[in-house]
Amino acid sequence: MAASYDYEDTVVPSQQQPDSLGYDPNFVPDSVKSFVVHLYRHIREKNVYEIHQMYETSFQTLSDRMFKDSPWPSVDAVSQFVDNDHVFCLLYREMWFRHLYARLSPTLKQRIDSWDNYCSLFQVVLHGVVNMQLPNQWLWDMVDEFVYQFQSFCQYRAKMKSKTEQEIALLKQFDQAWNVYGVLNYLQALVEKSMIIQILEQEKEGLEQFTATDGYDYNGGSNVLKVLGYFSMVGLLRVHCLLGDYHTGLKCLLPIDITQQGVFTSVIGSHITTIYHYGFANLMMRRYVEAIREFNKILLYIYKTKQYHQKSPQYEQILKKNEQMYALLAICLSLCPQVKLVDEAVNSQLREKYGEKMLRMQRYDDEAFALYDELFSYACPKFITPSAPSYEEPLVNYNQDAYRLQLKLFLYEVKQQQLLSGVRTFLKVYSTMSLGKLATYMEVDELTLRTILMTYKHKTHSVDSDGKIISNADFDFYIDDDMIHVVESKPAKQYGDYFLRQIVKLEGVMNDMDRIKLD
């Protein structure tokens, strides 16, 4: 079951706790007994297709029908039907907690118990003998939920004003639960122990078949450690983005070539999460062209395929991320106009959603500044402060601190770019121009203008993942004596797509005309 709630939003509707709902954790309905017995059997038989069907469809159907506002039966109650199998019980509890987070508001004790369960599960995968094949969807959801629950815990702990004495005592007692180093260590350990980086390297040389088999092992082995290690690289990118460390996040993702199809594209949630965080990290590091290119590709992919995911539990999440990425694309294109990188279908959607705002953002006045603030606040990840509060000082809420810091840094960058907006306007009009003339137009002296032009050069360049300096500008210029020479890169016009679309339209019209029977 992949939860159909907003993974980025940690506000959970307050509901009564299950104890007051007449919920009996030891009561196992026949349909649940049948579900766990069959799931256990399919896992033992390594029947990935059946596991996937039960995980994606049956679990969701039973949850909607019987456990809309209460948890599933406890693991102790169902363990007798599955030979008390330790690993199966850990997997069941992982689903149990995920369902709890999706449908109810977990207590602090339940948050801590879920952390303990993840620790036990990952310890088995890292140090035990795991002889299973699980669907990529489930393995992705494990990593995704692990990071989500860490984020949720940090947000919960940061709201100290409303905490009871009992909650504070529990937080002090279990201070290692959802510790940032613990979370990073587990994800890093899964990457290292799985040898996934070496496997991907060998695949490039034609010595491995990892992506070609979607990570599954058709020789009777297990895919669990390898695929968890693979998805953990995406998990690390996401955690580092939440912490505001974009450089390290992108470094963690380097072994995956996101320009190609990969195992990350085999699960729609993984595909979207990877590109969303990759694009956002590039935006924050001023690599606008790279962010625009990847946002364009994923938005075009969603545009073409979203109708196939309408019944998916992740559909709402797909739509939410889709909207957020359009907002991020609008920011990128306003800071770095590169329309030629955007597909026509994506561009028309973007104009529909943000056309008017993007025109106002080009003006670089206070209203434009407010729009950058609005779009960033809507589309950014829910940043976290990973450190525990000081319990001795007066208790305050600090859950917004990390977000405010990232917003401040982003708007500082926008403010600097605002100063340069005039330069771009004039340079786009002229092919050659004297420094004196431009200084007069911009109402500054020549020395200040030289500084502004140097700053413009700096701001339109960034350092890529290989350490090379790359340009984000759609035109360049150089100064020879006191003359500015503008070099505009003229994109080669692509007529093929346009004509193909018109041919398809014409064929449609002709078919319609053929159907009309003339009297």
Side-chain angles (χ1 to χ4, degrees), residues 134-356:
L134 293 181
N136 285 347
Q137 179 72 59
W138 193 348
L139 295 169
W140 160 251
D141 287 343
M142 264 183 223
V143 174
D144 191 42
E145 183 74 9
F146 180 62
V147 176
Y148 165 71
Q149 289 189 19
F150 163 63
Q151 174 195 314
S152 174
F153 182 84
C154 290
Q155 298 274 11
Y156 163 85
R157 183 177 57 189
K159 295 173 187 165
M160 289 303 295
K161 273 188 176 173
S162 56
K163 295 281 177 282
T164 63
E165 284 182 25
Q166 186 189 4
E167 284 177 309
I168 291 168
L170 266 177
L171 281 171
K172 286 181 184 174
Q173 183 185 346
F174 295 99
D175 59 341
Q176 289 307 300
W178 296 110
N179 176 293
V180 63
Y181 297 114
V183 170
L184 288 170
N185 284 344
Y186 271 119
L187 292 171
Q188 192 60 44
L190 286 164
V191 172
E192 288 172 13
K193 188 76 191 275
S194 65
M195 307 279 287
I196 189 63
I197 295 174
Q198 293 85 330
I199 289 169
L200 291 173
E201 279 299 317
Q202 288 179 320
E203 187 171 47
K204 283 179 192 166
E205 295 164 23
L207 303 171
E208 272 282 354
Q209 288 271 303
F210 181 75
T211 306
T213 60
D214 273 343
Y216 293 111
D217 191 322
Y218 293 111
N219 298 319
S222 169
N223 69 330
V224 174
L225 178 58
K226 281 191 292 190
V227 177
L228 278 177
Y230 180 92
F231 285 138
S232 290
M233 292 190 281
V234 180
L236 284 165
L237 165 69
R238 184 173 165 194
V239 172
H240 286 300
C241 278
L242 293 174
L243 300 172
D245 184 357
Y246 308 107
H247 178 77
T248 307
L250 290 172
K251 211 166 147 189
C252 292
L253 197 71
L254 269 180
I256 299 176
D257 181 358
I258 63 154
T259 64
Q260 303 294 322
Q261 291 282 311
V263 176
F264 79 97
T265 60
S266 67
V267 179
I268 182 79
S270 147
H271 194 178
I272 290 173
T273 298
T274 305
I275 302 301
Y276 167 80
H277 289 94
Y278 177 85
F280 185 81
N282 276 298
L283 161 63
M284 294 301 277
M285 291 180 73
R286 291 213 327 271
R287 298 176 187 168
Y288 303 117
V289 169
E290 187 60 23
I292 291 166
R293 193 177 285 124
E294 291 307 321
F295 281 142
N296 172 61
K297 278 199 299 202
I298 188 75
L299 289 168
L300 186 62
Y301 174 75
I302 296 170
Y303 176 75
K304 287 178 176 174
T305 62
K306 68 179 175 190
Q307 71 267 30
Y308 304 119
H309 297 284
Q310 283 177 352
K311 290 183 179 165
S312 161
Q314 297 108 328
Y315 188 61
E316 284 175 35
Q317 180 63 8
I318 291 168
L319 294 184
K320 170 81 186 282
K321 276 280 165 278
N322 187 54
E323 292 302 313
Q324 286 182 311
M325 287 191 286
Y326 269 111
L328 292 175
L329 183 59
I331 290 173
C332 290
L333 288 169
S334 299
L335 291 171
C336 171
Q338 285 279 7
V339 185
K340 65 177 183 285
L341 293 177
V342 182
D343 187 271
E344 199 177 305
V346 174
N347 197 35
S348 68
Q349 292 275 309
L350 182 69
R351 296 289 154 205
E352 205 177 293
K353 295 172 194 292
Y354 294 111
E356 192 190 326

Side-chain angles (χ1 to χ4, degrees), residues 43-48 129-134 215-226:
I43 288 176
R44 290 195 63 170
E45 292 170 356
K46 295 189 182 176
N47 189 336
V48 178
V129 179
V130 179
N131 188 25
M132 295 184 295
Q133 290 250 52
L134 293 181
Y216 293 111
D217 191 322
Y218 293 111
N219 298 319
S222 169
N223 69 330
V224 174
L225 178 58
K226 281 191 292 190

Side-chain angles (χ1 to χ4, degrees), residues 50-66:
E50 287 297 340
I51 299 168
H52 183 80
Q53 292 299 105
M54 294 197 71
Y55 174 78
E56 269 284 89
T57 309
S58 311
F59 190 83
Q60 188 69 27
T61 306
L62 282 171
S63 297
D64 288 341
R65 204 170 73 222
M66 305 178 70

Side-chain angles (χ1 to χ4, degrees), residues 297-474:
K297 278 199 299 202
I298 188 75
L299 289 168
L300 186 62
Y301 174 75
I302 296 170
Y303 176 75
K304 287 178 176 174
T305 62
K306 68 179 175 190
Q307 71 267 30
Y308 304 119
H309 297 284
Q310 283 177 352
K311 290 183 179 165
S312 161
Q314 297 108 328
Y315 188 61
E316 284 175 35
Q317 180 63 8
I318 291 168
L319 294 184
K320 170 81 186 282
K321 276 280 165 278
N322 187 54
E323 292 302 313
Q324 286 182 311
M325 287 191 286
Y326 269 111
L328 292 175
L329 183 59
I331 290 173
C332 290
L333 288 169
S334 299
L335 291 171
C336 171
Q338 285 279 7
V339 185
K340 65 177 183 285
L341 293 177
V342 182
D343 187 271
E344 199 177 305
V346 174
N347 197 35
S348 68
Q349 292 275 309
L350 182 69
R351 296 289 154 205
E352 205 177 293
K353 295 172 194 292
Y354 294 111
E356 192 190 326
K357 286 185 176 178
M358 285 172 74
L359 284 173
R360 278 152 50 197
M361 283 157 82
Q362 290 295 327
R363 291 210 294 261
Y364 289 101
D365 51 17
D366 285 347
E367 187 191 5
F369 200 62
L371 284 171
Y372 277 109
D373 184 330
E374 178 198 318
L375 291 189
F376 181 88
S377 301
Y378 166 68
C380 68
K382 300 290 183 284
F383 300 105
I384 54 174
T385 304
S387 53
S390 169
Y391 297 105
E392 279 64 52
E393 292 170 22
L395 300 177
V396 293
N397 288 350
Y398 62 95
N399 55 306
Q400 292 286 315
D401 289 4
Y403 152 71
R404 287 197 194 101
L405 174 62
Q406 295 301 319
L407 177 65
K408 182 179 163 188
L409 291 169
F410 170 73
L411 292 178
Y412 180 64
E413 179 63 40
V414 171
K415 203 81 168 169
Q416 289 180 319
Q417 302 248 15
Q418 281 186 337
L419 299 171
L420 306 170
S421 62
V423 179
R424 188 174 188 283
T425 308
F426 288 116
L427 293 180
K428 285 287 280 181
V429 177
Y430 293 91
S431 55
T432 53
M433 191 182 196
S434 70
L435 278 169
K437 193 174 177 183
L438 182 56
T440 309
Y441 283 154
M442 292 191 65
E443 299 173 0
V444 292
D445 58 68
E446 281 192 33
L447 199 63
T448 307
L449 177 63
R450 281 181 182 272
T451 309
I452 290 172
L453 289 171
M454 285 293 286
T455 310
Y456 184 84
K457 278 274 191 189
H458 167 65
K459 288 293 180 189
T460 55
H461 287 74
S462 57
V463 182
D464 71 5
S465 54
D466 297 325
K468 293 188 195 127
I469 293 175
I470 50 168
S471 170
N472 285 312
D474 52 348

Side-chain angles (χ1 to χ4, degrees), residues 508-519:
V509 171
M510 286 164 70
N511 287 338
D512 289 346
M513 288 172 70
D514 285 343
R515 282 195 211 102
I516 298 168
K517 289 190 171 66
L518 296 170
D519 293 334

